[in-house]
Amino acid sequence: MKDKTCDTKPTFQQNFPYHNDHAIEQSEPYANNFDNDDELYNDWELDDYHLLTNWETAEHNGWRLPATKEPHYWCAQWNHKGCIHSEDHQTHDGKIFIRRYQLSCFRPACKTCWEKWIGRQSNVATRKIERYSKKENISPIHIVLSVSNWDYELDYKQMKQKARKILNEIKIRGGSIIFHPFRFNKKIRCWYFSPHFHVVGFGFIPKGSLVDAYHQNGWFVKYLGVRKSVFATFYYLLSHCGIRHRTRATTWFGDLSYSKLEKEILPDFSKCPLCGRKLTEIYYKGWDPPIESNSFFEGFLDSEGWCVVITEKHIEPCNFEYAPTRELNNLLQSLEQAR
Ligand SMILES: [Zn+2]
Ligand SMILES: [Zn+2]
Ligand SMILES: [Zn+2]
């Protein structure tokens, strides 16, 4: 039953918008003494967290932090793709199109590629949030829902269902949910299990609903305000989010769920921007390549020295080793004698 004595302020029928102080005021006393551990050091780079804490070994129910697994041998290798059909590139003086890029597995768990994964995910998420924000003329907000100690043993699916129920109660229309299984304790430089959900989304939180959500569900809900840089928020949240096999790190709900928002059509980077042919793998035959090594490049160059990589299917020759009949007879004889 709800403890009325804790709710000292009168409840209004009218809904206050999220930027009204009331909604924020009410959750702060609870949230301030609970969510502090999630603040990271200002002067530390992410690499410092990876090396100077229990980052690599922190684990709970299959959840880990990003960048804990060894890369493939080809992760971060430099590669060239291009279109050598200069005959169709007249507008660019008959030069060939070349893109120099780094190979990546884009796995969040890869120690080499995790930042590429974060960058890609943050870009997609930011564009999705921006499209909705412009369409509905509403600013995105950031909320943290901390799982009650009583619910620590729920499985992830049940935890997320409860988070969705609370988001419904506090009138969040939709957004993205990112799960953080761990918080960081600065004093002992340790990541420890403390599950919570971060939400970047849209809605007008009614006055008193955060306190109500606490009384009804036991979860602290903290409002962290309107987001200025959506990209930076996603980048930060994904940098220490929960990573688990076959589980998405970012999920979308409500008005921004997968079915409700039209799919973004991205330019096709696998094709030549001039003639539309599929780009093929190419290499430079010579000592002095015209592009600086270990750097990204995209543009038009003279065709001299550039060749297409030809890959052939390699079939291992099959060896059928027959023993000469004489040897086979000896073999059979010795087997017979041994019986
Ligand atoms: Zn990788
Ligand atoms: Zn967090
Ligand atoms: Zn082309």
Side-chain angles (χ1 to χ4, degrees):
M1 215 180 110
K2 201 178 130 185
D3 182 3
K4 288 274 180 201
T5 54
C6 293
D7 202 357
T8 50
K9 287 178 184 158
T11 47
F12 296 95
Q13 289 301 312
Q14 188 193 350
N15 285 356
F16 282 81
Y18 58 84
H19 43 73
N20 185 297
D21 288 340
H22 290 290
I24 307 158
E25 215 177 277
Q26 290 179 0
S27 71
E28 268 179 0
Y30 302 108
N32 273 351
N33 55 28
F34 194 81
D35 211 35
N36 278 350
D37 279 351
D38 213 21
E39 279 173 32
L40 304 177
Y41 292 118
N42 286 332
D43 56 340
W44 273 29
E45 301 277 327
L46 276 167
D47 280 349
D48 295 322
Y49 288 97
H50 294 187
L51 295 168
L52 305 172
T53 72
N54 63 331
W55 184 285
E56 273 201 33
T57 51
E59 198 268 344
H60 190 96
N61 283 347
W63 289 101
R64 304 196 59 179
L65 288 160
T68 55
K69 287 196 174 152
E70 292 308 315
H72 299 300
Y73 73 91
W74 47 264
C75 288
Q77 259 181 27
W78 288 94
N79 215 24
H80 298 99
K81 273 196 174 176
C83 174
I84 56 159
H85 292 275
S86 50
E87 69 277 11
D88 291 331
H89 299 168
Q90 279 92 353
T91 48
H92 284 69
D93 304 328
K95 290 183 175 179
I96 61 166
F97 176 73
I98 293 171
R99 177 180 295 134
R100 184 177 161 79
Y101 64 101
Q102 246 178 336
L103 294 174
S104 173
C105 67
F106 289 103
R107 286 177 304 155
C110 174
K111 282 183 185 175
T112 300
C113 304
W114 62 279
E115 273 189 296
K116 284 203 169 62
W117 170 78
I118 293 179
R120 191 192 245 189
Q121 291 281 312
S122 306
N123 268 324
V124 172
T126 303
R127 282 198 295 266
K128 206 165 170 172
I129 291 284
E130 271 180 358
R131 277 209 309 280
Y132 187 85
S133 177
K134 280 182 184 157
K135 196 174 112 209
E136 301 288 320
N137 195 23
I138 176 174
S139 300
I141 57 173
H142 181 188
I143 304 155
V144 183
L145 297 96
S146 292
V147 178
S148 152
N149 287 14
W150 295 100
D151 289 335
Y152 270 25
E153 292 312 312
L154 291 180
D155 66 30
Y156 173 63
K157 208 176 158 195
Q158 292 167 318
M159 271 187 197
K160 208 167 80 173
Q161 270 168 2
K162 194 152 180 186
R164 290 281 303 275
K165 175 184 164 274
I166 295 169
L167 288 167
N168 213 22
E169 285 166 15
I170 63 169
K171 307 281 181 261
I172 300 300
R173 295 185 199 174
S176 73
I177 305 180
I178 294 172
F179 181 55
H180 279 183
F182 309 106
R183 280 196 168 93
F184 183 62
N185 183 314
K186 277 185 184 177
K187 287 189 201 99
I188 54 169
R189 288 191 180 179
C190 189
W191 294 90
Y192 62 99
F193 184 63
S194 175
H196 57 285
F197 292 89
H198 286 264
V199 174
V200 178
F202 299 94
F204 297 97
I205 300 169
K207 183 194 169 290
S209 67
L210 298 184
V211 173
D212 286 348
Y214 172 67
H215 288 308
Q216 278 161 26
N217 305 289
W219 288 34
F220 292 112
V221 183
K222 190 180 181 184
Y223 169 82
L224 292 174
V226 175
R227 287 297 93 190
K228 284 193 193 93
S229 168
V230 176
F231 181 83
T233 304
F234 276 113
Y235 202 97
Y236 171 78
L237 295 177
L238 292 171
S239 71
H240 56 290
C241 70
I243 301 298
R244 195 174 69 166
H245 191 52
R246 292 182 187 277
T247 313
R248 283 174 199 256
T250 318
T251 50
W252 297 86
F253 70 99
D255 281 5
L256 283 92
S257 59
Y258 300 93
S259 55
K260 286 196 181 159
L261 220 58
E262 74 275 15
K263 267 206 162 163
E264 185 184 23
I265 299 157
L266 293 169
D268 190 350
F269 290 111
S270 69
K271 290 187 176 159
C272 172
L274 279 189
C275 69
R277 283 189 181 85
K278 205 166 168 50
L279 299 180
T280 47
E281 206 172 318
I282 55 169
Y283 69 100
Y284 187 74
K285 205 165 128 189
W287 294 109
D288 197 13
I291 327 170
E292 211 179 295
S293 57
N294 298 347
S295 62
F296 291 96
F297 175 84
E298 194 177 273
F300 293 87
L301 293 173
D302 284 331
S303 61
E304 210 185 310
W306 291 98
C307 307
V308 173
V309 175
I310 297 165
T311 47
E312 281 176 8
K313 225 178 185 178
H314 179 69
I315 302 166
E316 280 282 324
C318 192
N319 271 330
F320 299 98
E321 284 180 359
Y322 297 103
T325 322
R326 202 155 23 102
E327 279 177 31
L328 199 70
N329 284 340
N330 292 345
L331 208 79
L332 286 169
Q333 265 175 18
S334 59
L335 277 172
E336 189 64 31
Q337 282 160 11
R339 280 171 75 176

PDB file of all heavy atoms in Angstrom, residues 241-272:
ATOM      1  N   CYS A 241      27.786   0.157 -21.384  1.00  0.00           N
ATOM      2  CA  CYS A 241      26.485  -0.527 -21.307  1.00  0.00           C
ATOM      3  C   CYS A 241      26.692  -2.035 -21.161  1.00  0.00           C
ATOM      4  O   CYS A 241      27.804  -2.539 -21.276  1.00  0.00           O
ATOM      5  CB  CYS A 241      25.661  -0.227 -22.553  1.00  0.00           C
ATOM      6  SG  CYS A 241      26.296  -1.016 -24.033  1.00  0.00           S
ATOM      7  N   GLY A 242      25.598  -2.736 -20.912  1.00  0.00           N
ATOM      8  CA  GLY A 242      25.671  -4.185 -20.771  1.00  0.00           C
ATOM      9  C   GLY A 242      25.755  -4.864 -22.126  1.00  0.00           C
ATOM     10  O   GLY A 242      25.021  -4.520 -23.048  1.00  0.00           O
ATOM     11  N   ILE A 243      26.688  -5.817 -22.241  1.00  0.00           N
ATOM     12  CA  ILE A 243      26.855  -6.563 -23.488  1.00  0.00           C
ATOM     13  C   ILE A 243      26.596  -8.034 -23.184  1.00  0.00           C
ATOM     14  O   ILE A 243      27.227  -8.601 -22.285  1.00  0.00           O
ATOM     15  CB  ILE A 243      28.295  -6.388 -24.045  1.00  0.00           C
ATOM     16  CG1 ILE A 243      28.602  -4.902 -24.302  1.00  0.00           C
ATOM     17  CG2 ILE A 243      28.512  -7.232 -25.298  1.00  0.00           C
ATOM     18  CD1 ILE A 243      27.738  -4.217 -25.328  1.00  0.00           C
ATOM     19  N   ARG A 244      25.665  -8.617 -23.897  1.00  0.00           N
ATOM     20  CA  ARG A 244      25.380 -10.043 -23.709  1.00  0.00           C
ATOM     21  C   ARG A 244      25.063 -10.672 -25.050  1.00  0.00           C
ATOM     22  O   ARG A 244      24.449 -10.021 -25.901  1.00  0.00           O
ATOM     23  CB  ARG A 244      24.198 -10.230 -22.750  1.00  0.00           C
ATOM     24  CG  ARG A 244      24.074 -11.634 -22.217  1.00  0.00           C
ATOM     25  CD  ARG A 244      23.009 -11.762 -21.173  1.00  0.00           C
ATOM     26  NE  ARG A 244      21.669 -11.607 -21.732  1.00  0.00           N
ATOM     27  CZ  ARG A 244      20.563 -11.941 -21.075  1.00  0.00           C
ATOM     28  NH1 ARG A 244      20.653 -12.391 -19.839  1.00  0.00           N
ATOM     29  NH2 ARG A 244      19.377 -11.773 -21.629  1.00  0.00           N
ATOM     30  N   HIS A 245      25.510 -11.914 -25.215  1.00  0.00           N
ATOM     31  CA  HIS A 245      25.315 -12.629 -26.476  1.00  0.00           C
ATOM     32  C   HIS A 245      23.837 -12.647 -26.854  1.00  0.00           C
ATOM     33  O   HIS A 245      22.986 -12.941 -26.021  1.00  0.00           O
ATOM     34  CB  HIS A 245      25.847 -14.053 -26.303  1.00  0.00           C
ATOM     35  CG  HIS A 245      25.938 -14.812 -27.573  1.00  0.00           C
ATOM     36  ND1 HIS A 245      26.596 -14.317 -28.680  1.00  0.00           N
ATOM     37  CD2 HIS A 245      25.447 -16.015 -27.935  1.00  0.00           C
ATOM     38  CE1 HIS A 245      26.506 -15.196 -29.653  1.00  0.00           C
ATOM     39  NE2 HIS A 245      25.805 -16.223 -29.241  1.00  0.00           N
ATOM     40  N   ARG A 246      23.533 -12.346 -28.109  1.00  0.00           N
ATOM     41  CA  ARG A 246      22.178 -12.375 -28.656  1.00  0.00           C
ATOM     42  C   ARG A 246      21.213 -11.414 -27.972  1.00  0.00           C
ATOM     43  O   ARG A 246      20.009 -11.637 -27.929  1.00  0.00           O
ATOM     44  CB  ARG A 246      21.592 -13.800 -28.601  1.00  0.00           C
ATOM     45  CG  ARG A 246      22.282 -14.761 -29.528  1.00  0.00           C
ATOM     46  CD  ARG A 246      21.622 -16.126 -29.447  1.00  0.00           C
ATOM     47  NE  ARG A 246      22.369 -17.101 -30.197  1.00  0.00           N
ATOM     48  CZ  ARG A 246      22.261 -17.272 -31.502  1.00  0.00           C
ATOM     49  NH1 ARG A 246      21.434 -16.551 -32.196  1.00  0.00           N
ATOM     50  NH2 ARG A 246      22.991 -18.185 -32.120  1.00  0.00           N
ATOM     51  N   THR A 247      21.713 -10.348 -27.350  1.00  0.00           N
ATOM     52  CA  THR A 247      20.833  -9.348 -26.738  1.00  0.00           C
ATOM     53  C   THR A 247      21.220  -7.980 -27.290  1.00  0.00           C
ATOM     54  O   THR A 247      22.394  -7.626 -27.284  1.00  0.00           O
ATOM     55  CB  THR A 247      20.987  -9.350 -25.194  1.00  0.00           C
ATOM     56  OG1 THR A 247      20.937 -10.697 -24.737  1.00  0.00           O
ATOM     57  CG2 THR A 247      19.886  -8.541 -24.517  1.00  0.00           C
ATOM     58  N   ARG A 248      20.239  -7.229 -27.772  1.00  0.00           N
ATOM     59  CA  ARG A 248      20.526  -5.899 -28.312  1.00  0.00           C
ATOM     60  C   ARG A 248      20.899  -4.950 -27.181  1.00  0.00           C
ATOM     61  O   ARG A 248      20.275  -4.975 -26.115  1.00  0.00           O
ATOM     62  CB  ARG A 248      19.271  -5.314 -28.962  1.00  0.00           C
ATOM     63  CG  ARG A 248      18.921  -5.856 -30.319  1.00  0.00           C
ATOM     64  CD  ARG A 248      17.581  -5.238 -30.686  1.00  0.00           C
ATOM     65  NE  ARG A 248      16.902  -5.974 -31.726  1.00  0.00           N
ATOM     66  CZ  ARG A 248      16.837  -5.576 -32.998  1.00  0.00           C
ATOM     67  NH1 ARG A 248      17.413  -4.452 -33.345  1.00  0.00           N
ATOM     68  NH2 ARG A 248      16.194  -6.275 -33.885  1.00  0.00           N
ATOM     69  N   ALA A 249      21.874  -4.089 -27.429  1.00  0.00           N
ATOM     70  CA  ALA A 249      22.291  -3.123 -26.403  1.00  0.00           C
ATOM     71  C   ALA A 249      21.295  -1.957 -26.343  1.00  0.00           C
ATOM     72  O   ALA A 249      21.093  -1.359 -25.290  1.00  0.00           O
ATOM     73  CB  ALA A 249      23.692  -2.609 -26.695  1.00  0.00           C
ATOM     74  N   THR A 250      20.699  -1.613 -27.468  1.00  0.00           N
ATOM     75  CA  THR A 250      19.722  -0.521 -27.507  1.00  0.00           C
ATOM     76  C   THR A 250      18.400  -1.071 -28.025  1.00  0.00           C
ATOM     77  O   THR A 250      18.379  -1.711 -29.078  1.00  0.00           O
ATOM     78  CB  THR A 250      20.177   0.572 -28.508  1.00  0.00           C
ATOM     79  OG1 THR A 250      21.563   0.784 -28.343  1.00  0.00           O
ATOM     80  CG2 THR A 250      19.437   1.869 -28.307  1.00  0.00           C
ATOM     81  N   THR A 251      17.323  -0.835 -27.292  1.00  0.00           N
ATOM     82  CA  THR A 251      16.011  -1.233 -27.824  1.00  0.00           C
ATOM     83  C   THR A 251      15.103  -0.011 -27.847  1.00  0.00           C
ATOM     84  O   THR A 251      15.297   0.937 -27.083  1.00  0.00           O
ATOM     85  CB  THR A 251      15.351  -2.352 -26.988  1.00  0.00           C
ATOM     86  OG1 THR A 251      15.377  -1.977 -25.620  1.00  0.00           O
ATOM     87  CG2 THR A 251      16.047  -3.668 -27.173  1.00  0.00           C
ATOM     88  N   TRP A 252      14.114  -0.046 -28.742  1.00  0.00           N
ATOM     89  CA  TRP A 252      13.218   1.104 -28.929  1.00  0.00           C
ATOM     90  C   TRP A 252      11.805   0.722 -28.531  1.00  0.00           C
ATOM     91  O   TRP A 252      11.382  -0.403 -28.755  1.00  0.00           O
ATOM     92  CB  TRP A 252      13.276   1.548 -30.398  1.00  0.00           C
ATOM     93  CG  TRP A 252      14.649   2.015 -30.776  1.00  0.00           C
ATOM     94  CD1 TRP A 252      15.682   1.236 -31.205  1.00  0.00           C
ATOM     95  CD2 TRP A 252      15.151   3.357 -30.715  1.00  0.00           C
ATOM     96  NE1 TRP A 252      16.797   2.011 -31.420  1.00  0.00           N
ATOM     97  CE2 TRP A 252      16.492   3.316 -31.132  1.00  0.00           C
ATOM     98  CE3 TRP A 252      14.587   4.588 -30.353  1.00  0.00           C
ATOM     99  CZ2 TRP A 252      17.285   4.455 -31.192  1.00  0.00           C
ATOM    100  CZ3 TRP A 252      15.368   5.716 -30.422  1.00  0.00           C
ATOM    101  CH2 TRP A 252      16.707   5.655 -30.831  1.00  0.00           C
ATOM    102  N   PHE A 253      11.080   1.680 -27.963  1.00  0.00           N
ATOM    103  CA  PHE A 253       9.724   1.371 -27.504  1.00  0.00           C
ATOM    104  C   PHE A 253       8.769   2.527 -27.837  1.00  0.00           C
ATOM    105  O   PHE A 253       9.202   3.622 -28.210  1.00  0.00           O
ATOM    106  CB  PHE A 253       9.726   1.085 -25.989  1.00  0.00           C
ATOM    107  CG  PHE A 253       9.996   2.323 -25.159  1.00  0.00           C
ATOM    108  CD1 PHE A 253       8.941   3.034 -24.573  1.00  0.00           C
ATOM    109  CD2 PHE A 253      11.284   2.779 -24.982  1.00  0.00           C
ATOM    110  CE1 PHE A 253       9.186   4.182 -23.821  1.00  0.00           C
ATOM    111  CE2 PHE A 253      11.533   3.927 -24.239  1.00  0.00           C
ATOM    112  CZ  PHE A 253      10.491   4.623 -23.657  1.00  0.00           C
ATOM    113  N   GLY A 254       7.465   2.249 -27.646  1.00  0.00           N
ATOM    114  CA  GLY A 254       6.433   3.275 -27.832  1.00  0.00           C
ATOM    115  C   GLY A 254       6.426   3.868 -29.225  1.00  0.00           C
ATOM    116  O   GLY A 254       6.571   3.138 -30.217  1.00  0.00           O
ATOM    117  N   ASP A 255       6.310   5.187 -29.297  1.00  0.00           N
ATOM    118  CA  ASP A 255       6.242   5.878 -30.591  1.00  0.00           C
ATOM    119  C   ASP A 255       7.484   5.646 -31.447  1.00  0.00           C
ATOM    120  O   ASP A 255       7.469   5.893 -32.645  1.00  0.00           O
ATOM    121  CB  ASP A 255       6.117   7.399 -30.372  1.00  0.00           C
ATOM    122  CG  ASP A 255       4.693   7.776 -30.019  1.00  0.00           C
ATOM    123  OD1 ASP A 255       3.873   6.855 -29.859  1.00  0.00           O
ATOM    124  OD2 ASP A 255       4.403   8.978 -29.900  1.00  0.00           O
ATOM    125  N   LEU A 256       8.606   5.265 -30.816  1.00  0.00           N
ATOM    126  CA  LEU A 256       9.839   5.058 -31.584  1.00  0.00           C
ATOM    127  C   LEU A 256      10.159   3.571 -31.775  1.00  0.00           C
ATOM    128  O   LEU A 256      11.288   3.216 -32.105  1.00  0.00           O
ATOM    129  CB  LEU A 256      11.015   5.774 -30.920  1.00  0.00           C
ATOM    130  CG  LEU A 256      11.024   7.287 -31.160  1.00  0.00           C
ATOM    131  CD1 LEU A 256      10.292   8.011 -30.058  1.00  0.00           C
ATOM    132  CD2 LEU A 256      12.425   7.807 -31.293  1.00  0.00           C
ATOM    133  N   SER A 257       9.151   2.720 -31.539  1.00  0.00           N
ATOM    134  CA  SER A 257       9.416   1.291 -31.695  1.00  0.00           C
ATOM    135  C   SER A 257       9.646   0.971 -33.170  1.00  0.00           C
ATOM    136  O   SER A 257       9.310   1.768 -34.047  1.00  0.00           O
ATOM    137  CB  SER A 257       8.267   0.450 -31.131  1.00  0.00           C
ATOM    138  OG  SER A 257       7.085   0.790 -31.794  1.00  0.00           O
ATOM    139  N   TYR A 258      10.206  -0.206 -33.411  1.00  0.00           N
ATOM    140  CA  TYR A 258      10.674  -0.559 -34.756  1.00  0.00           C
ATOM    141  C   TYR A 258       9.581  -0.452 -35.817  1.00  0.00           C
ATOM    142  O   TYR A 258       9.819  -0.026 -36.925  1.00  0.00           O
ATOM    143  CB  TYR A 258      11.254  -1.978 -34.747  1.00  0.00           C
ATOM    144  CG  TYR A 258      12.420  -2.086 -33.802  1.00  0.00           C
ATOM    145  CD1 TYR A 258      12.232  -2.501 -32.500  1.00  0.00           C
ATOM    146  CD2 TYR A 258      13.694  -1.714 -34.205  1.00  0.00           C
ATOM    147  CE1 TYR A 258      13.288  -2.563 -31.612  1.00  0.00           C
ATOM    148  CE2 TYR A 258      14.761  -1.777 -33.333  1.00  0.00           C
ATOM    149  CZ  TYR A 258      14.555  -2.208 -32.038  1.00  0.00           C
ATOM    150  OH  TYR A 258      15.594  -2.269 -31.162  1.00  0.00           O
ATOM    151  N   SER A 259       8.358  -0.840 -35.421  1.00  0.00           N
ATOM    152  CA  SER A 259       7.296  -0.869 -36.427  1.00  0.00           C
ATOM    153  C   SER A 259       6.703   0.512 -36.689  1.00  0.00           C
ATOM    154  O   SER A 259       6.171   0.774 -37.760  1.00  0.00           O
ATOM    155  CB  SER A 259       6.199  -1.823 -35.959  1.00  0.00           C
ATOM    156  OG  SER A 259       5.763  -1.444 -34.682  1.00  0.00           O
ATOM    157  N   LYS A 260       6.780   1.417 -35.712  1.00  0.00           N
ATOM    158  CA  LYS A 260       6.067   2.691 -35.844  1.00  0.00           C
ATOM    159  C   LYS A 260       6.800   3.768 -36.646  1.00  0.00           C
ATOM    160  O   LYS A 260       6.172   4.628 -37.251  1.00  0.00           O
ATOM    161  CB  LYS A 260       5.725   3.236 -34.453  1.00  0.00           C
ATOM    162  CG  LYS A 260       4.580   2.462 -33.814  1.00  0.00           C
ATOM    163  CD  LYS A 260       3.980   3.203 -32.665  1.00  0.00           C
ATOM    164  CE  LYS A 260       2.864   2.390 -32.034  1.00  0.00           C
ATOM    165  NZ  LYS A 260       2.569   2.800 -30.671  1.00  0.00           N
ATOM    166  N   LEU A 261       8.118   3.747 -36.591  1.00  0.00           N
ATOM    167  CA  LEU A 261       8.861   4.802 -37.273  1.00  0.00           C
ATOM    168  C   LEU A 261       9.347   4.288 -38.629  1.00  0.00           C
ATOM    169  O   LEU A 261       9.875   3.190 -38.716  1.00  0.00           O
ATOM    170  CB  LEU A 261      10.049   5.233 -36.415  1.00  0.00           C
ATOM    171  CG  LEU A 261      10.368   6.721 -36.352  1.00  0.00           C
ATOM    172  CD1 LEU A 261       9.179   7.517 -35.830  1.00  0.00           C
ATOM    173  CD2 LEU A 261      11.584   6.974 -35.482  1.00  0.00           C
ATOM    174  N   GLU A 262       9.151   5.088 -39.663  1.00  0.00           N
ATOM    175  CA  GLU A 262       9.549   4.625 -40.990  1.00  0.00           C
ATOM    176  C   GLU A 262      11.072   4.415 -41.045  1.00  0.00           C
ATOM    177  O   GLU A 262      11.821   5.100 -40.345  1.00  0.00           O
ATOM    178  CB  GLU A 262       9.084   5.593 -42.092  1.00  0.00           C
ATOM    179  CG  GLU A 262       9.859   6.886 -42.201  1.00  0.00           C
ATOM    180  CD  GLU A 262       9.374   7.978 -41.251  1.00  0.00           C
ATOM    181  OE1 GLU A 262       8.620   7.661 -40.297  1.00  0.00           O
ATOM    182  OE2 GLU A 262       9.779   9.115 -41.430  1.00  0.00           O
ATOM    183  N   LYS A 263      11.469   3.432 -41.843  1.00  0.00           N
ATOM    184  CA  LYS A 263      12.891   3.068 -41.915  1.00  0.00           C
ATOM    185  C   LYS A 263      13.696   4.153 -42.603  1.00  0.00           C
ATOM    186  O   LYS A 263      13.239   4.763 -43.568  1.00  0.00           O
ATOM    187  CB  LYS A 263      13.046   1.745 -42.652  1.00  0.00           C
ATOM    188  CG  LYS A 263      13.064   0.562 -41.733  1.00  0.00           C
ATOM    189  CD  LYS A 263      13.839  -0.575 -42.376  1.00  0.00           C
ATOM    190  CE  LYS A 263      14.230  -1.570 -41.310  1.00  0.00           C
ATOM    191  NZ  LYS A 263      14.600  -2.836 -41.879  1.00  0.00           N
ATOM    192  N   GLU A 264      14.905   4.374 -42.075  1.00  0.00           N
ATOM    193  CA  GLU A 264      15.787   5.367 -42.665  1.00  0.00           C
ATOM    194  C   GLU A 264      16.447   4.789 -43.919  1.00  0.00           C
ATOM    195  O   GLU A 264      16.939   3.661 -43.898  1.00  0.00           O
ATOM    196  CB  GLU A 264      16.854   5.698 -41.630  1.00  0.00           C
ATOM    197  CG  GLU A 264      17.778   6.786 -42.026  1.00  0.00           C
ATOM    198  CD  GLU A 264      18.873   6.975 -40.983  1.00  0.00           C
ATOM    199  OE1 GLU A 264      19.159   6.025 -40.235  1.00  0.00           O
ATOM    200  OE2 GLU A 264      19.431   8.052 -40.952  1.00  0.00           O
ATOM    201  N   ILE A 265      16.412   5.552 -45.007  1.00  0.00           N
ATOM    202  CA  ILE A 265      17.073   5.059 -46.223  1.00  0.00           C
ATOM    203  C   ILE A 265      18.448   5.725 -46.329  1.00  0.00           C
ATOM    204  O   ILE A 265      18.564   6.946 -46.457  1.00  0.00           O
ATOM    205  CB  ILE A 265      16.221   5.331 -47.482  1.00  0.00           C
ATOM    206  CG1 ILE A 265      14.885   4.588 -47.347  1.00  0.00           C
ATOM    207  CG2 ILE A 265      16.947   4.890 -48.750  1.00  0.00           C
ATOM    208  CD1 ILE A 265      13.771   5.153 -48.166  1.00  0.00           C
ATOM    209  N   LEU A 266      19.477   4.902 -46.201  1.00  0.00           N
ATOM    210  CA  LEU A 266      20.852   5.426 -46.230  1.00  0.00           C
ATOM    211  C   LEU A 266      21.438   5.308 -47.634  1.00  0.00           C
ATOM    212  O   LEU A 266      21.067   4.410 -48.380  1.00  0.00           O
ATOM    213  CB  LEU A 266      21.720   4.647 -45.244  1.00  0.00           C
ATOM    214  CG  LEU A 266      21.400   4.827 -43.769  1.00  0.00           C
ATOM    215  CD1 LEU A 266      22.151   3.802 -42.946  1.00  0.00           C
ATOM    216  CD2 LEU A 266      21.760   6.234 -43.297  1.00  0.00           C
ATOM    217  N   PRO A 267      22.370   6.222 -48.003  1.00  0.00           N
ATOM    218  CA  PRO A 267      23.022   6.062 -49.308  1.00  0.00           C
ATOM    219  C   PRO A 267      23.793   4.741 -49.346  1.00  0.00           C
ATOM    220  O   PRO A 267      24.311   4.289 -48.329  1.00  0.00           O
ATOM    221  CB  PRO A 267      23.980   7.264 -49.378  1.00  0.00           C
ATOM    222  CG  PRO A 267      24.073   7.796 -47.991  1.00  0.00           C
ATOM    223  CD  PRO A 267      22.848   7.365 -47.255  1.00  0.00           C
ATOM    224  N   ASP A 268      23.856   4.128 -50.529  1.00  0.00           N
ATOM    225  CA  ASP A 268      24.523   2.844 -50.663  1.00  0.00           C
ATOM    226  C   ASP A 268      26.028   3.060 -50.852  1.00  0.00           C
ATOM    227  O   ASP A 268      26.479   3.458 -51.921  1.00  0.00           O
ATOM    228  CB  ASP A 268      23.924   2.094 -51.862  1.00  0.00           C
ATOM    229  CG  ASP A 268      24.411   0.654 -51.916  1.00  0.00           C
ATOM    230  OD1 ASP A 268      25.341   0.318 -51.161  1.00  0.00           O
ATOM    231  OD2 ASP A 268      23.854  -0.119 -52.717  1.00  0.00           O
ATOM    232  N   PHE A 269      26.793   2.788 -49.781  1.00  0.00           N
ATOM    233  CA  PHE A 269      28.236   3.024 -49.829  1.00  0.00           C
ATOM    234  C   PHE A 269      28.996   1.934 -50.579  1.00  0.00           C
ATOM    235  O   PHE A 269      30.197   2.036 -50.756  1.00  0.00           O
ATOM    236  CB  PHE A 269      28.797   3.161 -48.408  1.00  0.00           C
ATOM    237  CG  PHE A 269      28.371   4.427 -47.735  1.00  0.00           C
ATOM    238  CD1 PHE A 269      27.492   4.391 -46.664  1.00  0.00           C
ATOM    239  CD2 PHE A 269      28.834   5.657 -48.180  1.00  0.00           C
ATOM    240  CE1 PHE A 269      27.082   5.569 -46.054  1.00  0.00           C
ATOM    241  CE2 PHE A 269      28.431   6.836 -47.579  1.00  0.00           C
ATOM    242  CZ  PHE A 269      27.547   6.791 -46.516  1.00  0.00           C
ATOM    243  N   SER A 270      28.278   0.888 -50.988  1.00  0.00           N
ATOM    244  CA  SER A 270      28.996  -0.182 -51.685  1.00  0.00           C
ATOM    245  C   SER A 270      29.067   0.084 -53.189  1.00  0.00           C
ATOM    246  O   SER A 270      29.598  -0.719 -53.932  1.00  0.00           O
ATOM    247  CB  SER A 270      28.311  -1.523 -51.419  1.00  0.00           C
ATOM    248  OG  SER A 270      27.051  -1.544 -52.064  1.00  0.00           O
ATOM    249  N   LYS A 271      28.496   1.223 -53.639  1.00  0.00           N
ATOM    250  CA  LYS A 271      28.479   1.508 -55.079  1.00  0.00           C
ATOM    251  C   LYS A 271      29.263   2.771 -55.427  1.00  0.00           C
ATOM    252  O   LYS A 271      29.417   3.668 -54.587  1.00  0.00           O
ATOM    253  CB  LYS A 271      27.035   1.644 -55.542  1.00  0.00           C
ATOM    254  CG  LYS A 271      26.333   0.299 -55.521  1.00  0.00           C
ATOM    255  CD  LYS A 271      24.960   0.358 -56.116  1.00  0.00           C
ATOM    256  CE  LYS A 271      24.366  -1.040 -56.161  1.00  0.00           C
ATOM    257  NZ  LYS A 271      22.916  -1.018 -56.265  1.00  0.00           N
ATOM    258  N   CYS A 272      29.722   2.829 -56.675  1.00  0.00           N
ATOM    259  CA  CYS A 272      30.477   3.984 -57.153  1.00  0.00           C
ATOM    260  C   CYS A 272      29.541   5.204 -57.223  1.00  0.00           C
ATOM    261  O   CYS A 272      28.457   5.116 -57.806  1.00  0.00           O
ATOM    262  CB  CYS A 272      31.041   3.669 -58.535  1.00  0.00           C
ATOM    263  SG  CYS A 272      31.796   5.098 -59.331  1.00  0.00           S
TER     264      CYS A 272
END
